[in-house]
Amino acid sequence: MIAAPVHLLGERLMLCPSGALHWPAERTLVVADLHLEKGSAFASRGAMLPPYDTRETLQRLSLAIRRHGAKRLVLLGDSFHDGAAAGRMAPEDRSALERLCAGLEECIWVSGNHDAEHGVAEWRRRKLVFRHIASDVARSEAELSGHFHPKATMPTRIGGITRPCFLLCANRLVLPAFGAFTGGLNVLDPAMAGIARNAVRVFLIGDARLHSAPFDALRRAAA
């Protein structure tokens, strides 16, 4: 996979086509919105879905950790789909998660709106602040967040192609949802207007690389 470099306040960050972010200087991998056990939550309400989303997500996460040689993992909230999700995990999936965390020097769990009882409200390192939902950012800081599951439609000669994406703004980066069973919100949706008011670029996730486009180009194409 070919990662794409971006810079926030002098920090070089690598965007991976897996949907993870790698911070090489800190040997840190960052992911957002795993929504583990979302499938079993739907099944409990009568929507019979394949119960393998947790397993697939953990396999992809383990591969990303090994690929980048990460020693620290930062999870930007909604790692579990709800407060009871951990209890619904299959024993083998719970063991896989425990082994994944045991192989790291540090695992930072940021709490989200789906799993508010897990983790810390935010985590800070150097000039970067890590949150679940984007908020006000001081001029001296840059922010990494999730929550919105951003996706974008890139115009092509054969029509628009819609994929999950990283959203890069002047002082923040919004990560795509990493979970195997997650939807998305278009970056041009009014619900994201406040977050995207100083957006610079989007990086759509491809099979082995990212596809970048200026945010203004998306606005013009939509108009």
Side-chain angles (χ1 to χ4, degrees), residues 36-187:
L36 299 177
E37 292 303 309
K38 184 175 181 179
S40 63
F42 274 61
S44 68
R45 298 194 292 271
M48 302 312 295
L49 298 169
Y52 306 120
D53 56 299
T54 291
R55 191 162 307 169
E56 180 180 344
T57 298
L58 293 177
Q59 289 172 347
R60 290 177 55 240
L61 181 56
S62 179
L63 179 60
I65 290 170
R66 295 197 305 271
R67 177 183 296 119
H68 296 289
K71 295 300 181 183
R72 179 193 291 120
L73 175 65
V74 180
L75 301 110
L76 295 179
D78 285 2
S79 300
F80 296 96
H81 188 63
D82 55 57
R88 295 196 305 272
M89 292 179 70
E92 55 268 37
D93 294 336
R94 189 178 300 111
S95 295
L97 178 58
E98 291 170 354
R99 290 194 303 272
L100 185 152
C101 294
L104 297 163
E105 294 178 0
E106 188 174 19
C107 193
I108 309 294
W109 298 82
V110 176
S111 60
N113 55 299
H114 278 258
D115 57 359
E117 67 278 11
H118 293 284
V120 297
E122 63 181 34
W123 183 70
R124 294 170 181 268
R125 185 75 171 178
R126 300 193 188 185
K127 297 179 181 179
L128 303 185
V129 55
F130 299 77
R131 299 184 176 117
H132 179 57
I133 304 177
S135 184
D136 294 333
V137 186
R139 288 175 177 248
S140 60
E141 296 178 328
E143 176 191 77
L144 289 87
S145 65
H147 179 65
F148 287 100
H149 303 202
K151 66 179 182 180
T153 300
M154 181 178 289
T156 73
R157 289 178 294 178
I158 59 172
I161 296 176
T162 302
R163 301 298 299 269
C165 70
F166 294 88
L167 174 63
L168 177 65
C169 304
N171 59 344
R172 63 165 47 103
L173 182 70
V174 184
L175 275 68
F178 192 85
F181 187 23
T182 50
L185 180 66
N186 194 290
V187 292

Side-chain angles (χ1 to χ4, degrees), residues 205-220:
I205 291 177
D207 291 335
R209 60 184 292 266
L210 297 166
H211 304 274
S212 175
F215 192 80
D216 285 344
L218 300 185
R219 284 197 181 104
R220 291 194 298 270

Side-chain angles (χ1 to χ4, degrees), residues 16 18 20-23 26-31 61 64-66 68 70-75 178:
C16 181
S18 67
L21 177 145
H22 181 220
W23 188 3
E26 291 286 332
R27 301 193 71 179
T28 295
L29 192 77
V30 185
V31 293
L61 181 56
I65 290 170
R66 295 197 305 271
H68 296 289
K71 295 300 181 183
R72 179 193 291 120
L73 175 65
V74 180
L75 301 110
F178 192 85

